[in-house]
Amino acid sequence: MDKYGIKNITEEVLNYEYDVHYREVALKLKTIKDKDECNKYRKTEQQKLSNTIDVKIDFEELKNHLMDLLLDEDSAKFLWILYSKYSGEENYIDKLSNILKLENNVIRGGTNTYKMNGWMAHTLYVYQIANYNIPNNKELTNFNGRADIKNHIGELHSLYKKLDRDLIFVLRVFTLIHDIGVIEEVKLHPEIGVRYVDKCIDELGITDEMLKKYNIGMNLKDLNQILKVFVRHHILITMLSTEGSDSYVEDCYRDLMSNLPDVKNIKELNPIILFIFAYGDIIGVDEKLMDQAKFNRVKEGFNFFEAVAQNRAPKRDKEKVAIERICDTVGKITYEELSNNFNAILQKNNIDKYDFIEDMYNIKFMRFAGPLMKTVNNVELTIRIYAETFDIIKNIDSKDEIKNYTIIFVPDKHEDEFARHFNNGNFFECAEKMKVEKCETFEFKNVRIELDKNNPEKLVQIRIV
């Protein structure tokens, strides 16, 4: 079969389980501690797979038919082929877009699995889930037939059927470019990514003329604006009961709605697009992050968005939200388990329950808490870290201001380094000294805590230096 400039596509190549392959490679990469050895193994595996994919690619024909490819029901399979087939040092996704090439040069480990191959492996797995598995109600191989995942896919499939051809196209392009901001900085990649949308879409050859030719019911300006809004807010639906407070998520979603152009039914159906995307985005980090409890929390975000859109934002139980936020960031503990042990943990560590619940419910946003606390892998220690950070804010600013603070665990160092300084007590010593001296910046034994209370965007930044 020849399609879109890709010649000699066999059934074996088309239906190869690329998701299984890239997971296996990533898990092996995680066991290699030496960076040079890691890079060597990655390149060796890239070349081995490329050599087995016996296709020829006419690059000019590919560029001319990229819209056809993106609209094809098997677009995920074709993109995996392009990503896995190399010409020299570049794969064919690299050749299509320099921005996507730069994205793939970013490697992440820790809780991330697929990004060990290069960031685009994560992106294409998200793309596959959102644009192949869910549309076809097809189970995910890497879950080995788990019934809960089959049920999730089925439920999302029912929602997917509400999207028309134009919104399906939006979903496909969005999933392909959602993480482009990492080419500049991982920490702020949703916001940074907005700046690269126009250029990335141009590199992919999507123009007003192409949209008209393929009967897409929106112009380039509106498409790019939708993509910018989604890229900026692509982690928003997973923030509820995780890293973002209810009031912060509500404000952000109202901002999202106000910035969407009035085309098609995007304002009505965007929660479906964001829900489908978020499900894939979580699994595209690692399958172990998705279970029934996580699905329920993401679904609650979907329901929350729909309620806000109808001006009926729900008021939720503060203790339940506080416990859910801890469960989600820590992982490997259910709501029921933590709920049963919650009082005992607080009492053991002399943490006032009422104050902690209020603080945990009200803290505006916690960046990178999820990947970090999953590495820490200790729910009691996580609660102590959060309580100590809240105390810093209350001591140096005030309790009433907690709702305006973002806590950032700055990811300059590997999560293991943070975990070491949490476990050996250095973080707590640094925090205590900072509170005693009432200073806004304090550094102690490689832990640096910075509190900025004078800007509208109030911050506590915790670093390992």
Side-chain angles (χ1 to χ4, degrees):
M1 176 175 64
D2 297 347
K3 259 191 166 181
Y4 317 128
I6 310 172
K7 315 289 186 180
N8 192 34
I9 307 170
T10 63
E11 284 296 313
E12 182 181 9
V13 167
L14 186 66
N15 295 308
Y16 183 73
E17 292 180 327
Y18 294 93
D19 50 351
V20 175
H21 170 85
Y22 284 106
R23 178 172 178 79
E24 289 174 352
V25 172
L27 291 175
K28 174 64 176 178
L29 286 166
K30 283 189 171 187
T31 68
I32 302 172
K33 301 304 179 185
D34 182 79
K35 185 177 180 181
D36 290 338
E37 284 297 312
C38 207
N39 290 336
K40 182 180 177 182
Y41 179 77
R42 187 182 296 109
K43 282 187 174 295
T44 299
E45 291 302 311
Q46 287 170 351
Q47 198 57 55
K48 280 168 59 178
L49 179 58
S50 180
N51 291 342
T52 65
I53 300 174
D54 189 21
V55 299
K56 304 295 182 185
I57 298 177
D58 183 326
F59 187 61
E60 288 305 312
E61 187 178 347
L62 173 65
K63 286 197 299 182
N64 291 335
H65 289 280
L66 188 60
M67 283 285 290
D68 293 292
L69 186 153
L70 291 173
L71 289 166
D72 194 295
E73 64 180 10
D74 282 331
S75 61
K77 297 180 180 182
F78 294 124
L79 289 173
W80 273 128
I81 293 170
L82 295 176
Y83 180 67
S84 303
K85 185 65 178 177
Y86 274 75
S87 174
E89 293 296 311
E90 293 182 317
N91 63 56
Y92 281 87
I93 298 286
D94 293 342
K95 290 178 177 294
L96 284 170
S97 165
N98 187 56
I99 289 176
L100 297 183
K101 176 181 178 178
L102 292 172
E103 178 185 325
N104 194 50
N105 288 337
V106 182
I107 307 292
R108 294 288 284 179
T111 56
N112 294 282
T113 294
Y114 293 89
K115 294 171 192 172
M116 289 293 294
N117 295 281
W119 202 288
M120 280 302 297
H122 157 80
T123 293
L124 293 184
Y125 192 30
V126 178
Y127 189 101
Q128 173 196 312
I129 295 165
N131 299 296
Y132 176 71
N133 294 91
I134 290 170
N136 293 289
N137 198 12
K138 186 174 177 61
E139 68 177 294
L140 288 158
T141 305
N142 285 333
F143 280 101
N144 299 314
R146 264 176 49 186
D148 59 336
I149 303 301
K150 289 181 181 179
N151 291 336
H152 302 165
I153 296 290
E155 187 171 338
L156 290 164
H157 173 73
S158 297
L159 289 172
Y160 179 89
K161 290 192 290 186
K162 297 182 180 182
L163 303 178
D164 65 15
R165 181 173 176 271
D166 293 343
L167 294 188
I168 288 170
F169 179 70
V170 168
L171 172 62
R172 290 183 183 181
V173 180
F174 165 47
T175 50
L176 184 61
I177 72 167
H178 73 273
D179 271 343
I180 54 178
V182 302
I183 70 174
E184 190 174 318
E185 184 181 4
V186 173
K187 182 172 71 172
L188 298 173
H189 76 275
E191 296 88 341
I192 291 169
V194 174
R195 302 204 296 263
Y196 292 98
V197 167
D198 289 338
K199 185 178 180 188
C200 191
I201 293 305
D202 181 62
E203 288 179 349
L204 294 172
I206 300 173
T207 63
D208 269 318
E209 292 70 27
M210 295 296 280
L211 294 173
K212 288 176 185 175
K213 177 182 175 181
Y214 288 90
N215 298 312
I216 302 297
M218 63 189 73
N219 60 37
L220 184 65
K221 180 181 177 182
D222 287 338
L223 172 64
N224 282 5
Q225 179 60 20
I226 292 168
L227 294 171
K228 288 173 184 175
V229 171
F230 283 174
V231 167
R232 178 182 292 277
H233 294 293
H234 73 264
I235 61 174
L236 184 61
I237 199 168
T238 59
M239 283 186 194
L240 196 74
S241 296
T242 58
E243 295 187 332
S245 70
D246 285 20
S247 61
Y248 177 63
V249 172
E250 180 179 347
D251 288 345
C252 287
Y253 186 67
R254 291 190 187 281
D255 178 70
L256 179 154
M257 288 287 285
S258 69
N259 284 292
L260 283 174
D262 226 347
V263 296
K264 301 296 293 181
N265 43 2
I266 192 70
K267 292 202 173 185
E268 176 189 353
L269 296 179
N270 71 81
I272 294 176
I273 293 174
L274 293 168
F275 187 14
I276 290 170
F277 162 78
Y279 185 75
D281 198 33
I282 293 163
I283 294 170
V285 173
D286 190 281
E287 283 83 2
K288 67 175 177 282
L289 300 180
M290 182 55 66
D291 57 18
Q292 189 60 47
K294 182 66 174 180
F295 179 78
N296 290 342
R297 286 196 285 275
V298 181
K299 184 178 178 180
E300 192 167 0
F302 165 72
N303 292 331
F304 190 88
F305 282 7
E306 291 209 312
V308 171
Q310 297 165 21
N311 287 313
R312 52 178 185 85
K315 299 298 179 187
R316 303 195 302 151
D317 180 86
K318 290 183 179 181
E319 182 172 343
K320 181 174 184 291
V321 170
I323 293 173
E324 284 181 339
R325 292 183 83 171
I326 297 165
C327 287
D328 198 273
T329 53
V330 173
K332 297 183 181 178
I333 185 167
T334 66
Y335 174 85
E336 290 73 21
E337 287 175 308
L338 181 53
S339 183
N340 290 336
N341 296 310
F342 192 53
N343 289 342
I345 292 171
L346 297 178
Q347 288 171 7
K348 176 184 174 183
N349 292 282
N350 297 314
I351 299 170
D352 182 274
K353 180 179 179 179
Y354 173 81
D355 285 347
F356 182 76
I357 287 171
E358 284 289 316
D359 296 340
M360 198 72 212
Y361 179 81
N362 287 319
I363 190 71
K364 177 181 171 182
F365 189 29
M366 295 188 291
R367 278 189 179 271
F368 306 106
L372 176 55
M373 297 311 167
K374 288 176 179 64
T375 301
V376 170
N377 195 26
N378 183 321
V379 67
E380 182 176 340
L381 182 56
T382 295
I383 289 171
R384 288 179 59 211
I385 294 163
Y386 291 159
E388 194 68 59
T389 309
F390 301 150
D391 276 350
I392 291 170
I393 296 169
K394 289 185 281 190
N395 270 268
I396 297 172
D397 198 339
S398 76
K399 179 176 176 59
D400 291 339
E401 287 300 306
I402 278 186
K403 64 182 182 296
N404 297 316
Y405 269 90
T406 294
I407 299 168
I408 303 179
F409 297 95
V410 182
D412 294 339
K413 300 286 186 180
H414 194 280
E415 288 91 344
D416 289 341
E417 283 294 297
F418 277 89
R420 185 164 67 86
H421 288 283
F422 290 145
N423 279 299
N424 67 18
N426 288 347
F427 165 75
F428 297 101
E429 284 190 68
C430 183
E432 198 58 40
K433 290 177 184 294
M434 184 176 183
K435 289 186 292 184
V436 169
E437 298 196 19
K438 299 280 185 186
C439 56
E440 295 179 22
T441 299
F442 200 87
E443 186 174 322
F444 177 78
K445 290 185 179 179
N446 300 109
V447 178
R448 182 179 177 86
I449 304 173
E450 302 163 325
L451 183 144
D452 187 347
K453 67 179 183 180
N454 297 316
N455 288 326
E457 295 292 326
K458 296 191 170 189
L459 290 177
V460 175
Q461 298 191 78
I462 300 167
R463 303 174 186 271
I464 304 301
V465 295

